[in-house]
Amino acid sequence: MPSRRPEILAPAGDLDSLRAALAAGADAVYFGLDEGFNARARADNFSLERLPETMVLVHRAGARAYVTLNTLVFEPELPLVERILRRVAESGVDALIIQDPAIALLARAICPQLELHASTQMTVSSAEGIRFARGLGVTRVVVPRELSTAEIRRLASQTDMELEVFIHGALCMSWSGQCLTSEAWGGRSANRGQCAQSCRLPYDLVVDHQTRDLGDVRYLLSPKDLAGVRAVPDLVDIGVHSLKIEGRLKGPQYVTTTVQGYRRWVDGVVAGKPDERQLEKDLADMSLTYSRGFSNGFLGGSDHQTLVEGRFPKHRGLYLGRVRSVSGKEVFVTPDERPWTGGLGLGEQRPEAPSGPIASPLPGGEPTPAAVDPRPGMGVVFDANAPEDKHEPGGPIFRVERKGQGWVLGFGHPGPDLGRVAPGQRVWLNSDPSLARRTEGLLAHGEPEGRIPLTLKVSGAEGTPLRLHASAWGHECSAESPTPLTASRGKGLDEALLKDKLGAFGGTPFTLARLDCAELAPGLHLPVSELKALRRDAVAELTAAVERGHQRTVVETPVLEQVRASLLARVPEVAAEETPRLLPMCRNDAQLEAVLAAGLREVELDWMEMVGLQRAVERARAAGLRVTIATVRVQKPGEEGYDARIDKLRPDAVLVRHWGALMHFLERPAGQPRPVLHGDFSLNVTNSLTAAHLLGLGLDTLTFSHDLDETQLFSLLDHTPAHRFAVALHHHIATFHTEHCVYSHTLSNGRDFKSCGRPCEKHQISLRDRIGLEHPVIVDVGCRNTVFNAQAQSAASLVPKLLERGVRRFRVEFVRESQEEATRVLGAYQELLAGRISPAEAVRRTAVHEQFGVTRGTMKVLSTPPSAH
């Protein structure tokens, strides 16, 4: 039985890119709206007013359209979201891609038939997490880009949910939905579609408080782009529903080359005839259009030596070679081995050339574009050996002369500043005008035709009308001839004639897939003009139905207040505490000792590697403290044992950080007790609908999302029980949470935890940014890295207002603080909550022992609320 071909899902950042995707053969497109709430706010996006027209364009091309509403929603924005959802449902959009549960809850109330896809921003990474998403009405999950094909296969075996997999494009260094760098450092949240791309900035490596010279390797968090071609056979075999191309900020040329390339490759794989030579050519075209260098991403498993190249953060294209000499307006370039991508190795010199590629679990290794000879008109760029140079030398080639194994490249005006080009520099081909012409030609052909399969059934007998039934894409219509069938003097209405006259769908969206004549008596006649008229009528009716999309019920009256009231009615009553509670979060024994000495009643343990956790639990219990254990931040298929380890320690409470853990601790057999469940910031609660839903499911408390400022936080409290929330009073915000291990990449030559030698057990790493702040990097039990902000953030100034509103849980989180530092920080906040010192004095006392000071951070007051756009 042949494999089902997965959907090719293309990005559309503007109308030209959408047209290019359809013309190139995409099965579906995804895009955002001008009204906001999509994870690519900087794309041109699409107008809600003209969305019905856009749907007509997409549906006539035989494709589906998914609208991205995949950001968090703040409380004051819920009425606007409701209005947008109603218009989207009426427009005929095929599905929504969402992050915030609130959007799912509203969408189900407005239009129950509207299909919902869980964005990778929702961080649904396990079968247990999928059960949470299913409860929201989700029918498809976009799996995190950190999952390997083996993990996707395992996930698919545990659920019947449709799975969508990113197959090509830029990789986020952080787990999607778990990146807070933009919010912490720039006040523009990635969870709001305003990613500042902090991963593409240069950093210095600080090892055990000493700066390590890595030469020109500065972009330690900037991954190469994903080209998942080698994973396609496995993904087809697994039965994933959709292969997704990233790139809503890229143009029509990028969309054309990627869609055409993957369409050809996927079709070949499904047919059992993959064309490797064509694949290499297609990868070369993709590289010339946009590439930071290609890798398997995580589809082949972790490979900490090849994911990050480290020398540049932006488009490079195809590697050509090295400069050998420069003379006047000419540069002599000779081929070179592929640029080095291996580990840095503590105390070792970075090799000038690779000794060979590291074996990949994916057949065929890394995706390799075909070698391309330079041609006049192509663009080149030279590595200027200046990591922060925004104006590297480069420009169009005017003349090419073959010389031995290399090329003499001649330049004119405009052209590169060859005074900055020197022997030894790398040279890249980074554009090709022929690709732009190909896209222009494709768009010039107009709308695609004949892509919707249509089935015809004809029936009738002598003396009755010819009855025609047509169906396409779930739509049906029927028609009858105005005159009855008569006996034919010849062959009559045989199958060949009917196919010719009824199946002539040129210039329409349809193609004849099947003709059923079983119920048509033989030897009958009908004028050809009537056959054509029946065809035209059927095409007109089906075209209109296809353009509109499937019939839906859309509730026209407002639903927000009703949905909120219904959700809040399911939240069980819990008595509020009289006095505020300081919740210290410890990550090592020294900090725990400070907590014990402070005389507190409760402690949260975030033993990120879980080593020594049992001993810490016993130590805290012996001192009479209530013990809360934090789960890992994310959990992949096969990692369910982490939650089971927490279970065995029988904590008083669990700090839940991902949807899988939520379901694990909620789904208990009848009569089996469960610990108290606190939801952490990583669940991204920013509005009352999401909050009420989670409290109604069984979470005992929630932590405010770090995306909230003061205004947004108090707006949320207007509609929710304040005593069911905790606020991060003092913490180093967890900026990146990444599958890539900086320790393994920089301090070893190992590709994963099996071969890295565990340098994290011997060394401490920080990343120093451009303004000199050193951000700690800590490894967890899954070998994932969390980069914590160098500066602690304090919400001390809000404490009086929060206490007045009824908030009683105030968390203080430690990262690498010593026992003395933790003692002083705890003392300051104990005094603050007791009303013995002012917020300003609390901040002053805590800042004394912070290397980089304390800021107001995300709990700032904005003069104007952030735009939804």
Side-chain angles (χ1 to χ4, degrees):
M1 179 178 175
S3 301
R4 179 183 59 79
R5 185 176 71 79
E7 167 189 274
I8 305 294
L9 176 56
D14 57 30
L15 184 57
D16 284 343
S17 295
L18 184 143
R19 292 183 184 276
L22 299 177
D27 300 295
V29 292
Y30 65 102
F31 53 84
L33 299 174
D34 292 336
E35 284 69 19
F37 305 106
N38 79 87
R40 290 294 181 270
R42 289 185 292 129
D44 286 347
N45 297 309
F46 289 77
S47 161
L48 184 62
E49 182 181 352
R50 302 188 66 176
L51 193 54
E53 299 173 33
T54 306
M55 291 305 98
V56 167
L57 179 66
V58 173
H59 289 159
R60 284 178 63 89
R64 284 162 52 91
Y66 310 145
V67 164
T68 57
L69 291 175
N70 57 340
T71 65
L72 303 181
V73 179
F74 297 140
E75 188 69 25
E77 298 167 335
L78 288 171
L80 172 60
V81 168
E82 178 180 352
R83 291 194 294 273
I84 291 173
L85 285 170
R86 190 168 285 110
R87 296 283 297 278
V88 167
E90 291 169 345
S91 73
V93 164
D94 296 286
L96 293 180
I97 304 175
I98 64 168
Q99 174 185 13
D100 197 320
I103 294 184
L105 296 165
L106 281 174
R108 288 175 63 185
I110 293 167
C111 179
Q113 302 95 337
L114 186 55
E115 198 172 314
L116 302 176
H117 298 174
S119 168
T120 187
Q121 286 286 118
M122 193 181 273
T123 327
V124 178
S125 54
S126 66
E128 290 172 319
I130 283 178
R131 291 201 289 276
F132 168 77
R134 193 186 297 277
L136 293 168
V138 166
T139 58
R140 182 190 296 188
V141 164
V142 186
V143 303
R145 281 168 275 204
E146 288 76 10
L147 267 57
S148 68
T149 54
E151 289 160 341
I152 295 169
R153 185 181 295 278
R154 183 170 188 157
L155 183 61
S157 72
Q158 297 170 334
T159 180
D160 59 357
M161 180 75 74
E162 288 184 6
L163 301 181
E164 181 174 301
V165 176
F166 273 99
I167 198 65
H168 190 92
L171 284 170
C172 292
M173 178 51 78
S174 182
W175 276 68
S176 296
Q178 303 299 316
C179 181
L180 293 165
T181 56
S182 297
E183 177 67 29
W185 299 339
R188 37 185 282 202
S189 169
N191 280 324
R192 297 279 292 169
Q194 298 171 329
C195 173
Q197 295 200 306
S198 302
C199 54
R200 305 298 180 185
L201 297 175
Y203 296 92
D204 291 324
L205 182 71
V206 180
V207 182
D208 301 328
H209 309 291
Q210 299 294 317
T211 303
R212 176 162 170 76
D213 183 9
L214 301 179
D216 59 350
V217 175
R218 297 284 309 285
Y219 297 93
L220 298 176
L221 297 176
S222 181
K224 291 188 284 188
D225 290 346
L226 169 66
V229 290
R230 295 297 172 199
V232 167
D234 275 344
L235 296 174
V236 168
D237 183 61
I238 291 167
V240 300
H241 199 85
S242 181
L243 300 178
K244 185 173 197 169
I245 298 167
E246 182 278 338
R248 281 191 282 149
L249 293 177
K250 301 183 178 75
Q253 185 176 314
Y254 170 89
V255 173
T256 299
T257 56
T258 52
V259 171
Q260 286 184 331
Y262 278 92
R263 182 72 189 244
R264 277 192 284 262
W265 180 241
V266 170
D267 285 347
V269 168
V270 171
K273 299 176 180 178
D275 188 338
E276 291 278 349
R277 186 164 295 182
Q278 180 63 51
L279 173 65
E280 290 179 4
K281 293 177 181 177
D282 287 334
L283 284 170
D285 289 348
M286 296 180 210
S287 295
L288 287 165
T289 302
Y290 195 95
S291 166
R292 299 178 180 93
F294 285 151
S295 79
N296 293 320
F298 291 102
L299 289 170
S302 293
D303 189 343
H304 304 306
Q305 304 307 332
T306 61
L307 184 73
V308 172
E309 211 282 344
R311 288 194 178 88
F312 42 79
K314 53 191 175 184
H315 174 50
R316 269 301 179 270
L318 277 172
Y319 184 61
L320 186 61
R322 288 183 183 269
V323 174
R324 297 305 169 189
S325 63
V326 181
S327 176
K329 289 290 185 182
E330 295 182 341
V331 179
F332 180 38
V333 179
T334 58
D336 189 18
E337 294 190 59
R338 295 179 67 194
W340 174 85
T341 56
L344 302 177
L346 182 62
E348 300 175 8
Q349 294 297 314
R350 175 169 41 81
E352 185 59 28
S355 57
I358 296 174
S360 167
L362 290 177
E366 292 287 309
T368 307
V372 173
D373 285 328
R375 299 186 303 274
M378 282 185 160
V380 298
V381 64
F382 299 90
D383 278 349
N385 293 325
E388 297 181 54
D389 188 351
K390 295 182 180 179
H391 304 287
E392 296 169 306
I397 303 169
F398 276 55
R399 183 176 60 83
V400 178
E401 175 187 336
R402 189 81 196 199
K403 182 179 179 181
Q405 295 299 310
W407 307 269
V408 174
L409 307 182
F411 296 95
H413 298 284
D417 179 2
L418 296 183
R420 298 170 57 208
V421 176
Q425 289 181 355
R426 291 174 174 82
V427 187
W428 307 78
L429 294 172
N430 67 349
S431 65
D432 183 355
S434 69
L435 297 177
R437 290 193 293 271
R438 182 202 299 177
T439 299
E440 290 167 2
L442 202 63
L443 293 175
H445 279 113
E447 287 187 25
E449 298 174 358
R451 293 189 178 172
I452 301 176
L454 185 149
T455 296
L456 293 177
K457 181 178 180 180
V458 293
S459 60
E462 186 175 354
T464 69
L466 177 70
R467 289 182 291 275
L468 176 68
H469 182 269
S471 59
W473 264 22
H475 303 283
E476 299 181 358
C477 71
S478 297
E480 293 185 352
S481 61
T483 59
L485 291 161
T486 59
S488 172
R489 297 177 181 176
K491 291 189 295 183
L493 300 177
D494 62 4
E495 186 172 347
L497 177 65
L498 291 171
K499 278 186 176 180
D500 181 47
K501 304 307 178 186
L502 293 179
F505 293 129
T508 78
F510 305 107
T511 182
L512 182 62
R514 179 168 171 263
L515 175 64
D516 181 357
C517 307
E519 295 182 17
L520 178 66
L524 297 175
H525 169 74
L526 192 72
V528 168
S529 59
E530 293 199 27
L531 292 175
K532 292 180 177 180
L534 285 173
R535 182 194 69 219
R536 287 193 297 268
D537 291 345
V539 164
E541 187 171 344
L542 283 179
T543 298
V546 163
E547 290 174 350
R548 286 193 305 270
H550 295 292
Q551 291 293 323
R552 291 177 178 147
T553 303
V554 179
V555 177
E556 295 297 335
T557 55
V559 300
L560 173 58
E561 295 304 328
Q562 176 186 343
V563 170
R564 183 190 284 127
S566 174
L567 291 168
L568 286 171
R570 292 198 286 269
V571 176
E573 291 288 336
V574 175
E577 297 183 55
E578 290 295 323
T579 58
R581 179 172 295 203
L582 192 65
L583 307 170
M585 176 180 285
C586 303
R587 291 188 167 97
N588 60 44
D589 291 318
Q591 295 160 6
L592 177 56
E593 291 303 318
V595 171
L596 298 180
L600 294 167
R601 296 177 291 167
E602 185 173 345
V603 65
E604 296 180 337
L605 302 178
D606 186 16
W607 254 239
M608 292 177 63
E609 291 195 90
M610 291 193 171
V611 176
L613 176 58
Q614 181 174 347
R615 185 174 64 250
V617 170
E618 292 169 353
R619 178 82 176 93
R621 278 216 180 102
L625 271 69
R626 284 178 55 83
V627 176
T628 297
I629 300 178
T631 72
V632 293
R633 183 93 166 264
V634 294
Q635 188 166 283
K636 301 200 293 185
E639 295 180 348
E640 295 82 1
Y642 297 147
D643 290 336
R645 287 169 69 175
I646 293 174
D647 252 336
K648 288 180 181 178
L649 295 174
R650 299 188 179 280
D652 299 291
V654 174
L655 186 63
V656 173
R657 287 177 163 162
H658 60 89
W659 304 125
L662 172 64
M663 303 309 289
H664 173 87
F665 290 104
L666 284 179
E667 296 174 335
R668 297 299 177 95
Q672 182 176 332
R674 68 163 177 82
V676 170
L677 299 180
H678 303 300
D680 203 4
F681 73 93
S682 50
L683 301 185
N684 291 322
V685 177
T686 58
N687 61 72
S688 60
L689 299 191
T690 296
H693 178 66
L694 296 180
L695 293 172
L697 282 177
L699 280 174
D700 294 272
T701 71
L702 299 167
T703 305
F704 294 114
S705 165
H706 295 332
D707 287 283
L708 298 173
D709 65 21
E710 179 187 10
T711 302
Q712 295 148 0
L713 186 153
F714 283 103
S715 293
L716 167 57
L717 287 181
D718 287 340
H719 299 282
T720 49
H723 66 285
R724 305 292 293 274
F725 282 91
V727 64
L729 176 57
H730 181 102
H731 65 122
H732 295 261
I733 196 169
T735 53
F736 291 105
H737 187 66
T738 173
E739 198 74 13
H740 176 63
C741 184
V742 180
Y743 286 82
S744 181
H745 177 54
T746 60
L747 303 187
S748 86
N749 288 312
R751 70 181 303 272
D752 57 20
F753 74 95
K754 297 177 183 177
S755 56
C756 71
R758 305 287 294 177
C760 58
E761 296 177 354
K762 309 177 187 72
H763 303 283
Q764 282 192 346
I765 279 179
S766 296
L767 299 178
R768 184 188 297 120
D769 65 21
R770 294 177 298 173
I771 59 174
L773 297 178
E774 295 178 13
H775 307 284
V777 183
I778 298 184
V779 181
D780 74 6
V781 66
C783 291
R784 290 179 267 277
N785 287 190
T786 301
V787 181
F788 289 91
N789 194 14
Q791 293 179 294
Q793 299 188 6
S794 176
S797 64
L798 300 185
V799 166
K801 289 184 180 179
L802 290 168
L803 289 173
E804 184 181 345
R805 280 296 189 95
V807 175
R808 292 293 180 264
R809 299 176 64 81
F810 296 85
R811 181 177 296 127
V812 172
E813 297 188 18
F814 300 118
V815 180
R816 284 179 177 165
E817 285 87 348
S818 66
Q819 182 173 344
E820 179 188 3
E821 290 169 336
T823 297
R824 292 182 183 270
V825 169
L826 289 173
Y829 287 114
Q830 282 178 298
E831 295 277 289
L832 173 64
L833 291 182
R836 290 191 287 269
I837 63 173
S838 68
E841 175 63 14
V843 172
R844 189 192 68 78
R845 290 191 190 182
T846 55
V848 169
H849 295 279
E850 283 290 341
Q851 181 182 1
F852 300 108
V854 176
T855 72
R856 296 189 69 181
T858 55
M859 286 299 180
K860 58 189 174 297
V861 183
L862 300 181
S863 57
T864 304
S867 167
H869 306 288

